[in-house]
Amino acid sequence: MSLRAAVLGHPISHSKSPALHTAAYAKLGIGIDYTAVDLTERTLPGFMHELSRQQGWRGLSVTMPLKTAMLQEVDEVRGVAKVLGVVNTVAFEDAGDTVRRVAYNTDVAGIVNAVRNAGVVPAPTAVILGGGGTAASAVAALELLGTGSVQLFVRDTSRVHEARAAAAGVGVDLAVRHLSEAAAPTAAADVVISTLPPRAADGLAGELAASGARTAGVLLDVAYDPWPSKLASAWQAGGGAVVPGLEMLLYQAVEQVRLFSRLGEEVNAAVIDVMCDAVGLPRRAY
């Protein structure tokens, strides 16, 4: 029986997940065919119903706009995903004569590892740009990094339910403000996590560049296409460290590969290195 996995979302053609996963399974010697499937919230239930009739599925990577909608399509939610109400991973687990769909959130680990790899200070002052599902994961990641309060800057302050719920769930104080007020607090933060779509932070980037402000902290810009983003360029010009969104994608994908392959910690440094090669990231220094 052939094994299958996929990344789901809309749009999805730009996704680097197939390259990451395919490289990992080849290195592990496992025949998992990993593809990209374009789905919206409206078409997700039908796809999941069809999938229940098929054998060989090992897992699903879930991206926007499906990270909340997928909660209605699984049998169990585990780990931090239960607190956040946001998932990016579904693993298929054999349970006797049935298969259970178990949801996880590996975005949190992806953010934590990407920011730590850049040398962020302990208990950093923090800013998040954008308020969707990835922002909720960023709140939980910052709590794990020792942050007790976060400033959240969004284009629409009425649409921050997921981030507010995440902050309440993990015990982080969240101050929500409009994106137009973000320039000075962003420049001063030890760590900034931008979850905004591509080009949505271009205005802020222009403000930072025009002000000549020093940016001494770490910026993780989740939008990795086009790269570098204007925000990343402005941040680097101010002296700050920039972490591309591909770093987060890499680390969250490592956790997915461990679940989908069912090999856990056997997904080691050698596997991570070929995943880096597949998307043009530098190999890790161990």
Side-chain angles (χ1 to χ4, degrees):
M1 178 177 64
S2 60
L3 302 177
R4 301 175 66 185
V7 57
L8 315 180
H10 177 78
I12 204 65
S13 60
H14 68 287
S15 177
K16 304 290 187 183
S17 291
L20 287 165
H21 281 259
T22 299
Y25 302 132
K27 180 67 174 179
L28 290 165
I30 299 175
I32 297 179
D33 181 31
Y34 188 101
T35 56
V37 181
D38 195 302
L39 292 173
T40 64
E41 291 174 277
R42 182 180 62 82
T43 56
L44 176 64
F47 173 82
M48 296 299 288
H49 178 71
E50 276 301 309
L51 184 147
S52 66
R53 302 178 180 180
Q54 302 169 4
Q55 294 184 324
W57 281 94
R58 281 292 187 88
L60 301 170
S61 307
V62 183
T63 189
M64 299 303 291
L66 307 176
K67 292 185 176 184
T68 301
M70 183 57 82
L71 290 168
Q72 307 302 316
E73 307 296 335
V74 299
D75 301 305
E76 183 182 351
V77 182
R78 289 185 189 160
V80 71
K82 293 176 68 174
V83 177
L84 301 182
V86 177
V87 304
N88 77 314
T89 304
V90 179
F92 291 75
E93 298 186 0
D94 293 331
D97 295 332
T98 63
V99 175
R100 289 181 60 79
R101 302 170 178 177
V102 182
Y104 298 85
N105 184 310
T106 69
D107 279 339
V108 174
I111 293 169
V112 169
N113 288 325
V115 172
R116 278 182 175 158
N117 194 52
V120 70
V121 300
T125 57
V127 162
I128 298 173
L129 306 174
T134 306
S137 298
V139 169
L142 288 165
E143 190 276 332
L144 290 174
L145 291 166
T147 299
S149 62
V150 172
Q151 295 184 79
L152 179 76
F153 294 92
V154 293
R155 293 172 291 179
D156 183 350
T157 56
S158 68
R159 301 180 65 181
V160 291
H161 170 74
E162 292 164 317
R164 286 193 188 277
V170 300
V172 167
D173 292 329
L174 189 70
V176 178
R177 298 163 64 185
H178 193 270
L179 187 62
S180 61
E181 305 173 59
T186 296
D190 294 325
V191 60
V192 176
I193 301 173
S194 175
T195 70
L196 291 167
R199 301 184 178 86
D202 286 1
L204 173 58
E207 289 186 64
L208 292 174
S211 71
R214 175 162 175 75
T215 52
V218 173
L219 167 71
L220 168 60
D221 190 347
V222 172
Y224 56 82
D225 184 19
W227 189 261
S229 64
K230 289 186 178 180
L231 180 60
S233 295
W235 192 266
Q236 195 164 40
V242 173
V243 182
L246 271 177
E247 289 279 330
M248 172 190 166
L249 188 71
L250 166 71
Y251 285 116
Q252 63 83 30
V254 169
E255 300 304 317
Q256 291 179 341
V257 170
R258 286 172 173 155
L259 289 166
F260 299 172
S261 67
R262 303 177 184 174
L263 293 176
E265 294 305 314
E266 291 183 47
V267 180
N268 55 20
V271 178
I272 296 171
D273 278 343
V274 298
M275 294 172 74
C276 290
D277 294 344
V279 293
L281 285 172
R283 291 190 167 197
R284 308 295 93 168
Y286 300 103

